[in-house]
């Protein structure tokens, strides 16, 4: 930081020109130190102020330490405070000089004025000098017993400070036990609150090496302690209330009465004007009701209004914090907020960080009934002066279109965007149209006619340009001048700065070539030549690869580069559901703001209030098993597949198909001329031969469990199957079995509406199935597609049943794949499974 | 739940106060923070969000009167707790200093340190109650004259215009005495409503909301209990029988969507007679925040027309009509409208005899601005602007301009009809009759008319 440009108007932090001022101060302080003249305190005050102001702006005034201490012999409390502040700041760097202060601080700790006792004790504990800790124990001990609550409050925090300077001294003096007793018996609320925070910190740190601390830490979460706090929560100030509520979150209630008792106790906290109190209460409510789907949903309804009020009553910063939490809830349970969409409309004067959140919320809550209004509103923002927000708005429209509601109308809107002829609007829209076409190929005719009219010259942004080029390649047969537009672009290869665009050009030229070989031949030749000569490694590699495949066999090349398209049914979310659950578990923390679980941005010792949940909540998806290897791998693979961009995916599929085939490599030195001529030969030898064998659709079948239905094995009148309620199966064993066993049954069931409603909390299904002795080993997915892996065991013998269950909440269908050690009994298990599933959500 | 450091930076990035509570964050955090905020460019956002993380340190900030109030921590704390705390610290400091600005801060930084020591200990919040803090704080504030309006305080508008209002109140320190050593016994209750309205291009209301606060500032000695009676026909929560219940003569009653209360408020008789009782702590605080989406009559009607007038010209006509009674006067009205970005010039034509109006075309942001000192209820004002374009426009000109937005303040007027029926101070002596000020004000939060 540059030194402050303070003008003469500010007498306090004058120009920090260097050492001379400090030396000056030093001599002036020295003069005053011994003086007892009247008015000397006023002069001292002025000098002290100067010292503190230097300290504030970062000038090192530690050299006057001795003088400050000498001047501290005074009864003026304002002077004392300044001196304490100074000493606290510099003691650590001057351990020897600090010894000088011990004397007067210890004396002040015995002063008859409780204010001075407290202040001295606070300063004494703030020195942070390890070899002075012996002087702390005595004053702290008497401070904890002081009859004045102000002194006790400070002493309690003092114990925590001592712990951080020297843990062993603190433990040896048995201070934690004293704090515990104070916490449970002191009459002053702030003393109690400080005891709680100090003990939580100390025991959490001690727990790693002391079993006793571990037990003590757990003891905070017992019913009597929790109720001791909750029953008197109103005696505490708002900040301490937050502390208590954070503690209550970790409490595991004994039964549903317990849950309702707590919620009734805390109900009125939702009306508090302090957003932190409300959010902490909301977190308690949400956590308590996780296993009670219907109550959980009521909680959402209940908290909606208070949160909306907080959003609109605070400063923009405070609204942002609340809104981030609302955002999380909206994304989790969009239908609960669907009718409140107008609250998420942007106001023109809101900061962009608020607008961005609101746009995401609007996208999330869009459904059949409100899509029209929401999209109309979003279209208003697309013309916004704030370009970043305009872009986000267009993206939001696109995302809503991909959610399937009223696509028809939305496509029209998108096409209208293209008519606005604003560069960034066009670019964003093109990207969207591309994604839409990937999902709804049936719209191609409407879109292409408009897109075809766009001149590529008007698009500067690589993303938009790449999207346009992709469409030119993909729909070459529908756009009459596609080959010529591509050729034009390829001729200007040198001027194209974006490697992404050049990569797309290569692929598009290839695709176009397969459809309209004679017209594209020249362009493709040019593109490959330019690509191979390209300095960008990826562009070069791709050009070379295309060239070699073409040379090997044009039909193979077509299969590789331009396989028949499969509509993308769901675009992968960027975040896995495990991560989202994790963030939800860390409600009312920074995880929600950053949209990342705490382990991604904090080191272990700083995770704060979540130390507890860390141990218990490590395995959100497998309540009993010890690790979650299965889901991690499964879903990572899926996500990757879904995330691939269009052209990557094409290539990958091809690569897999062609595994093992040998390419004959052309010499690297081939000049562009020879390539072009070879290309001409190629083009003649195999123009437009289309592959007849439809590509087996790789990733998708597997992921969504469509098709692949095996004939159900008919088993006559299955005997009633008894399952082991305590079945156990290691995830690794599950994974192995799942791979080895054949599918013995594939079935589709309808899920009743109550069950779908209950799925808001996917965990509730897990709990429900468990009550039928069917255990979940892994789960994932998000609305509307949820996926679960279950297993069960026969009660009498170790015979396993494995099930994959995919539930689509919008179609209310569940698809089940069963595998069994004993094929003959799988029908019996299927019956049990179906019965269990049909009861899900029923009271 | 603990913070590591607290500091206040000026707009230029100078440290005004700096307090390190836990010595966990490396040196240079103020510079890191300031650089990050000044040069924020992430995900297309020009503005730094209030919370961000740099190298494992979380920075929280709120902006108050142009100053940055910042807290740092390494712990995964509750974000609203920290932001709420920062805002509260600003309020406590303002209670003490009377006026909050860089100047008063610098003159009183020792007092501010004294406050901070009691507000936070080792990163844990101890108290933010001005009342409680009074007994621990010994520095006398050095009073700074208020130079201009303080945006922190919506009630500050009472210092201008209405003569009946004691303007000193909002800038008086809670600990300072009046000249002569005696404190004036008085209490202020302000009903501040911020309204948001969006009109569609056809003039129909798309969304409307009132965000209100009943704000109190008490200078009463001896902390007497206060009873605040609101409208009897006040209803909270939608969907009740309220809408059809015509108990009171004034019509359909006031329906709040939701509200929340300060922790000192007791609601024992709120359900029966809509009375709040409280012992007001020292300093300024919101008694109640409320939110209302019940339909109300917007105070201004805006009518905008933009028309092509030749190849490189267009004309804009903006008409505003004040839809409130003629004994009410709105002040500091500003009307803004973004013009097409190829607009090179705008010439204005005000109505004949217009006084206290100004017009401006901001070339860099292509913004039309029309300011009016005041508008009397019932009045209508019109602005005509002739635009010159640097290039020919194509397509729809209405898509290139607007929307029209307005800011204004209307003292002694509230759109929700929420009222403080009476303010009762429980004190036995009959001679005790402190000044009671109940003031209303309506402000535009987001008042937008699309074209």
């Amino acid at each position: 930081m540059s030194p402050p440009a303070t003008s003469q108007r500010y007498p306090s932090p004058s120009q920090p020109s260097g050492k001379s001022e400090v030396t000056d101060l030093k001599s002036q302080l020295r003069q005053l130190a011994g003086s007892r003249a009247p008015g000397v305190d006023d002069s001292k005050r002025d000098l002290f102020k100067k010292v503190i102001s230097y300290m504030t702006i970062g000038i090192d005034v530690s050299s006057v330490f001795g003088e400050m201490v000498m001047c501290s012999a005074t009864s003026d409390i304002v002077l004392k405070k300044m001196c304490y502040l100074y000493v606290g700041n510099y003691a650590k760097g001057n351990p020897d000089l600090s010894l000088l202060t011990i004397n007067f601080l210890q004396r002040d700790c015995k002063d008859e004025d409780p204010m001075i006792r407290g202040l001295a004790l606070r300063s004494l504990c703030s020195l942070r000098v390890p070899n002075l800790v012996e002087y702390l124990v005595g004053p702290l001990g008497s401070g904890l017993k002081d009859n004045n609550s102000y002194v006790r409050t400070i002493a309690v925090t003092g114990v925590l400070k001592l712990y951080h300077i020297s843990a062993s001294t603190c433990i040896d003096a048995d201070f934690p036990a004293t704090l515990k007793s104070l916490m449970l018996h002191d009459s002053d609320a702030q003393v109690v609150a400080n005891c709680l925070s100090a003990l939580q910190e100390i025991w959490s740190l001690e727990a790693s090496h002391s079993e006793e601390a571990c037990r003590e830490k757990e003891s905070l979460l017992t019913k009597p302690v929790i109720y001791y706090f909750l029953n008197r929560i109103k005696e505490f100030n708002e900040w301490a209330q937050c502390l208590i509520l954070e503690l209550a979150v970790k409490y595991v209630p004994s039964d549903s009465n317990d849950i309702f008792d707590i919620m009734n106790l805390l109900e009125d906290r939702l009306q508090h004007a302090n957003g932190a109190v409300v959010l902490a209460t909301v977190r308690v409510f949400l956590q308590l009701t996780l296993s009670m789907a219907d109550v959980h949903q009521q909680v959402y309804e209940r908290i909606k209004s208070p949160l909306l009020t907080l959003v609109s009553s605070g400063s923009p910063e405070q609204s942002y914090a609340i809104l981030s939490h609302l955002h999380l809830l909206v994304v989790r349970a969009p239908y609960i907020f669907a009718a409140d969409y107008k609250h998420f409309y942007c106001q023109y004067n809101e900061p962009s960080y608020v607008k961005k959140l609101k746009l995401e919320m609007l996208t999330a809550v869009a459904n059949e009934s409100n899509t029209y209004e929401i999209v109309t509103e979003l279209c208003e923002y697309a013309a916004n002066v704030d370009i970043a927000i305009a872009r986000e708005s267009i993206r939001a429209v696109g995302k809503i279109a991909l959610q399937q509601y009223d696509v028809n109308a939305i496509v029209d809107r998108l096409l209208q965007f293209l008519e606005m002829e604003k560069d960034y609007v066009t670019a964003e829209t093109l990207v969207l149209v591309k994604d839409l076409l990937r999902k709804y190929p049936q719209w191609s005719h409407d879109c292409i006619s408009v897109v075809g009219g766009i001149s590529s010259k008007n698009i500067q942004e690589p993303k938009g340009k790449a999207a346009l080029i992709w469409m030119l390649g993909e729909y070459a047969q529908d756009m009459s001048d596609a080959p010529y537009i591509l050729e034009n672009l390829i001729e200007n290869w040198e001027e194209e700065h974006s490697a992404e665009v050049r990569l797309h050009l290569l692929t598009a030229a290839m695709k176009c070539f397969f459809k309209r070989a004679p017209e594209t031949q020249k362009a493709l030749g040019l593109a490959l030549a330019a690509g191979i000569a390209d300095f960008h490694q990826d562009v070069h590699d791709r050009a070379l690869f295309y060239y070699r495949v073409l040379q090997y066999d044009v039909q193979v090349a077509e299969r590789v580069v331009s396989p028949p398209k499969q509509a993308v049914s769901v675009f992968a979310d960027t975040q896995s559901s495990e991560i989202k659950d994790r963030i939800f578990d860390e409600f009312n923390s920074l995880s929600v703001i950053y949209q990342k679980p705490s382990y991604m941005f904090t080191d272990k010792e700083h995770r704060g209030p979540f130390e507890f949940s860390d141990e218990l909540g490590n395995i959100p998806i497998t309540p009993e098993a010890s690790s979650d290897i299965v889901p991690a791998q499964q879903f990572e693979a899926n996500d990757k597949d879904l995330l691939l961009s269009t052209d990557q995916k094409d290539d990958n599929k091809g690569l897999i198909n062609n595994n093992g085939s040998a390419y004959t490599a052309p010499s690297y030195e081939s000049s562009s001329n020879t390539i072009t001529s070879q290309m001409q030969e190629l083009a003649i030898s195999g123009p437009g031969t289309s592959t007849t064998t439809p590509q087996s659709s790789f990733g998708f079948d597997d992921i969504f469990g469509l098709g692949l239905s095996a004939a159900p094995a008919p088993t006559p009148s299955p005997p009633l199957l008894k399952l082991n309620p305590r079945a156990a199966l290691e995830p690794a064993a599950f994974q192995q079995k799942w791979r080895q066993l054949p599918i013995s049954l594939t079935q589709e069931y309808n899920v009743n509406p109550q069950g779908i409603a209950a799925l808001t909390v996917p965990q509730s299904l897990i709990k429900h199935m468990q009550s039928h002795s069917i255990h979940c080993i892994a789960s994932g997915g998000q609305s509307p597609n949820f996926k679960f892996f279950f297993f069960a065991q026969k009660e009498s013998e170790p015979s396993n049943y494995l099930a994959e269950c995919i539930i689509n909440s919008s179609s209310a269908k569940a698809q089940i794949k069963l595998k069994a050690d004993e094929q003959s009994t799988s029908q019996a298990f299927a019956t049990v499974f179906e019965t269990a599933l049909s009861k899900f959500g029923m009271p | 739940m603990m913070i590591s450091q607290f500091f206040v930076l000026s707009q230029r990035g100078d440290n005004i106060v700096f307090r390190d509570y836990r010595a966990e964050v490396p040196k240079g955090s103020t510079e890191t923070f300031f650089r990050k905020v000044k040069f924020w460019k992430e995900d297309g956002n020009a503005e730094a969000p209030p919370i961000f993380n740099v190298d494992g340190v979380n920075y929280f900030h709120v902006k108050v009167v142009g100053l940055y109030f910042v807290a740092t921590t390494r712990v995964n704390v509750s974000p609203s707790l920290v932001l709420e705390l920062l805002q509260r610290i600003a309020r406590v400091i303002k209670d003490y200093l009377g006026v909050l600005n860089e100047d008063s801060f610098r003159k009183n930084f020792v007092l501010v340190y004294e406050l901070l020591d009691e507000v936070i200990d080792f990163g844990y919040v101890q108290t933010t109650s001005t009342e409680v803090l009074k007994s621990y704080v010994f520095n006398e504030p050095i009073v700074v004259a208020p130079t201009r309006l303080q945006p922190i305080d919506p009630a500050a508008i009472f210092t201008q215009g209405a003569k009946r209002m004691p303007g000193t109140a909002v800038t008086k320190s809670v600990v300072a005495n009046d000249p002569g050593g005696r404190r004036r016994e008085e209490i202020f209750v302000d009903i501040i409503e911020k309204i948001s309205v969006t009109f569609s291009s056809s003039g129909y209301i798309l969304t409307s909301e009132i965000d209100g606060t009943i704000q109190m500032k008490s200078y009463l000695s001896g902390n007497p209990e206060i009873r605040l009676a609101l409208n009897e026909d006040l209803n909270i929560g939608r969907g009740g029988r309220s809408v059809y219940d015509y108990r009171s003569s004034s019509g359909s009653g006031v329906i709040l969507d939701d509200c929340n209360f300060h922790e000192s408020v007791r609601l024992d008789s709120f359900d029966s007679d809509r009375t709040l009782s409280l012992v007001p702590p020292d300093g300024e605080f919101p008694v109640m925040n409320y939110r209302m989406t019940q339909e109300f009559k917007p105070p201004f009607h805006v009518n905008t027309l933009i028309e092509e007038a030749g190849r490189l010209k267009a004309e804009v006509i903006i008409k505003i009509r004040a839809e409130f009674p003629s004994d009410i006067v709105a002040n500091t009205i500003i009307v803004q409208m973004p013009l097409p970005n190829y607009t090179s010039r705008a010439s204005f034509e005000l109505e004949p005899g217009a006084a206290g109006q100004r017009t401006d075309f901001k070339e860099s942001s292509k913004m039309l601005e029309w300011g009016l000192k005041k508008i009397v209820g019932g009045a209508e004002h019109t602005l005509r602007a002739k635009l010159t374009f640097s290039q020919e426009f194509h397509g729809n000109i209405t898509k290139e301009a607007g929307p029209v937005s307005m800011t204004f303040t209307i003292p002694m007027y509230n759109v929700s009809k929420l009222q403080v029926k009476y303010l009762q101070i429980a004190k036995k002596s009959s001679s005790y009759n402190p000044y009671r000020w109940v003031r209303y004000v309506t402000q535009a939060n987001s008042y937008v008319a699309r074209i």
Side-chain angles (χ1 to χ4, degrees), chain A residues 566-633:
Chain A
Q566 183 112 36
V568 181
S569 55
V570 176
F571 282 87
D573 216 303
T574 41
Q575 257 175 356
S576 75
S577 58
E578 280 90 341
I579 296 234
K580 285 182 178 162
D581 284 343
R582 193 73 192 240
I583 298 172
F584 180 73
D585 285 338
E586 297 177 353
F587 194 84
N588 194 23
S589 80
L590 290 168
S591 313
V592 179
I593 304 283
Y594 301 146
Q595 302 185 6
K596 283 179 195 163
S598 57
Y599 67 82
M600 290 189 183
F601 62 89
T602 324
D603 29 292
K604 194 155 185 358
E605 73 259 38
H606 289 123
R607 283 189 207 150
F610 302 104
E611 302 116 346
F612 287 92
S613 52
D614 249 13
E615 294 141 31
L616 307 169
N618 218 345
I619 340 129
I621 36 169
T622 50
E624 285 164 3
S626 54
S627 81
D628 48 349
I629 310 160
V630 185
Q633 289 175 352

Side-chain angles (χ1 to χ4, degrees), chain B residues 232 297 334:
Chain B
E232 276 170 33
K297 193 174 184 191
I334 295 170

